[in-house]
Amino acid sequence: MKTITVQKLVDHFKLEVVAAANSLNRDITRSRAHRPGLEFVGYFDFFPMERVQVLGRKEINYLLRLSVEERLLYIGNIVKYHPPCFIVTADQQEIPYLKKFCDEEGIPLLRTPDTTVEFIAKLDGFLTKALAPEQSIHGVCVNVSGIGVLLRGKSGVGKSETAHTLIRRGHRFVADDIVVLKKLGPALLLGTHNVTTREFLALRSVGLINVVRQYGRRAFQDETRIVLDIELTTWREGELSNELELEPRYTEYMGVQIPHIEIPLQPGRDVAGLIEAAANNWYLKQHGYSAAEEFMQRIQDQIT
């Protein structure tokens, strides 16, 4: 199971540490935040204690309306479950009772100036990606006209050079050599870099280039949804298919099936152009259009 520490949340969101600053190494294992509600009246049957607990104006105002004894009782009941941390939104200051409990129990109490709705949306998105199952593969990742493409093939086959051509045609570079795949859902695969190689593309006979420095910020993006798996292979005489529509094939990553296409390489072939065509063709199919079906329908219309 993947985990991140509370310290990573503090660093990423620039959170103010109000209490238990020595406990920022606590682990977070769940990807969605929780706003305690029923727990304040003693109902804990479904309390997700592993989640980050967010306290907005509604929760803080409710606690302030209680008597001191009730407030201490309800907060004490939640704190004893030892959630990873508490985060107070909207820069609320009326929380000395929370600070006391969190210091005693070693549970970080953090604060953000963001509103509750705004912060939870950002927090859930961050945790979903940070805690997602991931797999690193050898390849290149590009975004072609808004469509995430994974380029694979043997070392030296021309993946990086093809990516370079696509960048010069106005498409976006994501990762070279090591592509990190993150599974964000049953059918959602995200491709990104491994931070170390961010923005760098290795070209044989040229060396390492920084894509952003050479082609500008628009030539690069941090991540993209992977929807096509394209394998670049060496040309094999007599094996090129001339069928109107190829039988669908898939590559599976962490249980997610991605449409797979094989493109044999030969001097003179416009591989980047073929990748653009494959990406556009995938897009049209998602919208219910098949060129092969239209062609066959035209033939059928002529016969009848």
Side-chain angles (χ1 to χ4, degrees), residues 18-265:
V18 180
N22 295 328
S23 300
L24 298 181
N25 61 342
R26 291 172 63 87
D27 287 333
I28 300 171
T29 61
R30 297 289 295 275
S31 60
R32 293 185 60 191
H34 175 68
R35 296 181 70 177
L38 290 175
E39 293 80 12
F40 285 143
V41 293
Y43 188 77
F44 287 91
D45 287 3
F46 300 99
F47 178 47
M49 67 186 94
E50 314 89 352
R51 294 182 181 175
V52 173
Q53 305 296 312
V54 177
L55 301 172
R57 289 192 182 279
K58 181 176 67 175
E59 290 80 17
I60 297 298
N61 286 339
Y62 171 76
L63 291 172
L64 289 173
R65 291 194 186 103
L66 300 175
S67 66
V68 174
E69 292 76 13
E70 289 175 321
R71 187 185 309 151
L72 295 178
L73 174 65
Y74 294 159
I75 289 296
N77 285 341
I78 292 179
V79 167
K80 71 181 181 183
Y81 283 92
H82 283 260
C85 63
F86 289 96
I87 301 178
V88 175
T89 62
D91 215 13
Q92 298 176 89
Q93 304 293 319
E94 305 88 350
I95 53 173
Y97 53 91
L98 276 173
K99 184 178 185 305
K100 171 182 177 295
F101 272 104
C102 289
D103 274 328
E104 290 175 354
E105 298 293 332
I107 303 172
L109 176 61
L110 314 172
R111 184 159 49 203
T112 176
D114 293 343
T115 65
T116 307
V117 173
E118 177 187 5
F119 181 72
I120 286 180
K122 293 193 294 186
L123 177 61
D124 284 352
F126 172 77
L127 290 177
T128 297
K129 291 178 182 178
L131 298 173
E134 66 179 50
Q135 174 185 353
S136 296
I137 67 166
H138 176 65
V140 178
C141 184
V142 289
N143 183 284
V144 180
S145 300
I147 295 166
V149 177
L150 187 62
L151 299 179
R152 295 187 299 110
K154 294 181 178 178
S155 182
V157 76
K159 300 182 295 297
S160 298
E161 291 81 356
T162 300
H164 182 251
T165 302
L166 289 166
I167 294 166
R168 294 185 61 214
R169 291 189 181 191
H171 305 294
R172 293 183 173 184
F173 170 69
V174 178
D176 181 37
D177 190 32
I178 299 174
V179 180
V180 179
L181 302 177
K182 291 178 176 284
K183 182 180 178 181
L184 302 187
L188 179 55
L189 204 64
L190 198 71
T192 187
H193 49 78
N194 70 344
V195 180
T196 303
T197 59
R198 186 178 189 270
E199 301 176 359
F200 289 122
L201 179 66
L203 299 173
R204 292 178 184 274
S205 304
V206 175
L208 206 61
I209 69 168
N210 186 303
V211 170
V212 172
R213 293 293 182 94
Q214 286 214 18
Y215 298 105
R217 176 57 55 187
R218 297 174 108 184
F220 172 80
Q221 66 182 60
D222 266 314
E223 57 192 29
T224 186
R225 180 184 178 183
I226 301 295
V227 298
L228 273 181
D229 176 75
I230 296 180
E231 183 179 4
L232 304 182
T233 62
T234 54
W235 184 273
R236 297 183 296 274
E237 202 64 40
E239 290 192 17
L240 185 62
S241 174
N242 289 316
E243 297 177 19
L244 292 179
E245 189 161 36
L246 299 175
E247 189 71 24
R249 291 195 294 168
Y250 299 90
T251 304
E252 188 172 300
Y253 299 102
M254 294 179 287
V256 180
Q257 288 196 327
I258 304 297
H260 171 83
I261 297 174
E262 182 178 326
I263 298 181
L265 303 181

